Amino acid sequence: MTDQLTGSSSFPMVLAERVVKAYGSHVVLSDISLSVDRGEVVCIIGPSGSGKSTFLRCINHLERLDGGRLTVDGELIGYRQSGDKIYELKPREAAQQRKDIGMVFQRFNLFPHLTVLENIIEAPTQVKRQSRAAASTRAMQLLERVGLAEKAKAYPASLSGGQQQRVAIARALAMDPKLMLFDEPTSALDPELVGEVLDVMKQLAKDGMTMIVVTHEMGFAREVADSLVFMDGGVVVERGTPSDVLGNPQHARTRAFLSKVL
C-alpha cells in the first residue's frame, strides 16, 4: 500500500501493520497487525496491561510508534514517507489528522470552566474555524442525540459521571469524525450510570459509525460488536465474532481470561 492514499471504500478504515510500541526495554505492543473496515464495530478485551489503551492511542498518534505503520482511511497516521524513509509529522500536522478521529477516554476531560455547550463548540470553532452560530446549532443537535439538550448551559461539575461522558461523546462527534475510539468509556462510572452511555454508543453503531472500543462490558461487546479482539501481553491472541470468541474461545489464554470475567 502506498502512503498517501485518498480515502476510499476500497481500503480498510484502520490498518495496523506490525505495530510495535515500547517504553525503554518494556515492549507494550509487539507486532500488532489488525484491520477494521468502515462501518465496523470492533471491541477489544483483555487484562489490564495488555496494551489495549496504548494501541488506541497509537491510532491517533497520541503515542509514537517504535515499529510498523498505521493508516486511517488509507492515510499514514503520524508520519509521511519520502522515498524509502519515514518521517514523523510536526505536531500541527498530526493535529490536523487527529481532527478526523474522535476519542473518548475513561475520564471525561471536560473543561470545568466552560459550559456543556462551550465544551462542545470549542474544537469546531478553534480547529475547523466554524462560526459560533453554526457550531452551536450542531452542538444542540448532538446534545439532543445524547439526551442532554436541557444541560447546554450547565457546567460539568453539576453533571453526573454518565452525563459528563455523554457530553464527551457529543464533543467528539462535533468534529464529524470518520472513526471513533473509546477507551474503557464506562470504567470510571457508577454501575447504575453505565447503561446510559452504552445506549448512546449502541445508537452510534446502528448509525454506521466505525468504532474501536476497549471495554470490560462483555454484554455490550456481545450485542454490538461485529468483531471481538482479545489482547494479552501486547499481542492479538484471538479475533472472531463475539459469539465465537466468548462462546468457543480457541486459545488457552482467552479461555483463562473469560473464565474470570464471564
Side-chain angles (χ1 to χ4, degrees):
M1 180 184 288
T2 58
D3 287 290
Q4 295 300 328
L5 299 168
T6 56
S8 165
S9 59
S10 62
F11 303 110
M13 180 60 78
V14 177
L15 182 62
E17 299 175 280
R18 310 199 71 174
V19 166
V20 175
K21 176 64 187 176
Y23 299 102
S25 60
H26 178 49
V27 178
V28 181
L29 298 176
S30 178
D31 203 27
I32 296 280
S33 293
L34 192 72
S35 67
V36 179
D37 291 334
R38 63 197 63 245
E40 187 176 12
V41 178
V42 174
C43 284
I44 303 178
I45 62 172
S48 297
S50 58
K52 308 182 300 294
S53 296
T54 300
F55 179 59
L56 278 198
R57 292 173 64 85
C58 287
I59 293 174
N60 63 1
H61 201 58
L62 291 175
E63 297 283 357
R64 298 177 66 252
L65 301 186
D66 293 307
R69 48 194 279 147
L70 270 163
T71 60
V72 171
D73 202 17
E75 182 178 13
L76 193 63
I77 292 296
Y79 301 87
R80 61 180 175 84
Q81 184 161 346
S82 179
D84 293 332
K85 293 187 176 181
I86 289 182
Y87 301 91
E88 187 171 11
L89 295 181
K90 295 177 180 177
R92 184 181 296 269
E93 295 173 308
Q96 279 297 113
Q97 286 187 327
R98 205 174 287 128
K99 68 181 175 55
D100 293 324
I101 305 171
M103 187 159 183
V104 177
F105 300 86
Q106 296 179 39
R107 297 291 174 179
F108 325 119
N109 296 337
L110 300 177
F111 297 115
H113 63 290
L114 299 181
T115 66
V116 165
L117 183 68
E118 290 167 341
N119 264 280
I120 295 173
I121 69 173
E122 177 76 6
T125 55
Q126 297 300 317
V127 179
K128 285 194 166 184
R129 302 300 180 189
Q130 290 181 6
S131 71
R132 186 179 177 88
S136 295
T137 298
R138 173 69 171 147
M140 288 306 301
Q141 292 171 344
L142 290 169
L143 283 173
E144 189 77 41
R145 186 175 181 180
V146 300
L148 291 172
E150 77 284 358
K151 298 294 187 181
K153 295 181 180 179
Y155 286 88
S158 70
L159 305 180
S160 71
Q163 290 171 331
Q164 289 189 60
Q165 194 63 294
R166 284 187 280 157
V167 172
I169 293 172
R171 181 178 59 178
L173 293 174
M175 293 294 284
D176 294 316
K178 60 181 70 173
L179 169 68
M180 284 287 287
L181 308 175
F182 292 88
D183 186 8
E184 298 188 22
T186 60
S187 64
L189 300 179
D190 292 333
E192 67 269 20
L193 302 177
V194 168
E196 63 191 55
V197 174
L198 295 181
D199 285 345
V200 171
M201 295 170 64
K202 289 174 187 177
Q203 189 57 53
L204 280 179
K206 288 180 182 177
D207 292 343
M209 174 65 73
T210 309
M211 299 162 56
I212 304 178
V213 184
V214 171
T215 185
H216 293 297
E217 299 291 340
M218 298 300 164
F220 172 82
R222 189 189 301 273
E223 179 182 350
V224 177
D226 299 299
S227 181
L228 189 62
V229 173
F230 173 65
M231 286 182 63
D232 192 19
V235 301
V236 172
V237 176
E238 188 164 349
R239 178 178 184 173
T241 65
S243 59
D244 284 344
V245 175
L246 297 178
N248 186 30
Q250 298 300 300
H251 293 264
R253 289 161 79 186
T254 314
R255 290 193 291 271
F257 173 76
L258 291 176
S259 70
K260 297 174 183 177
V261 299
L262 291 180

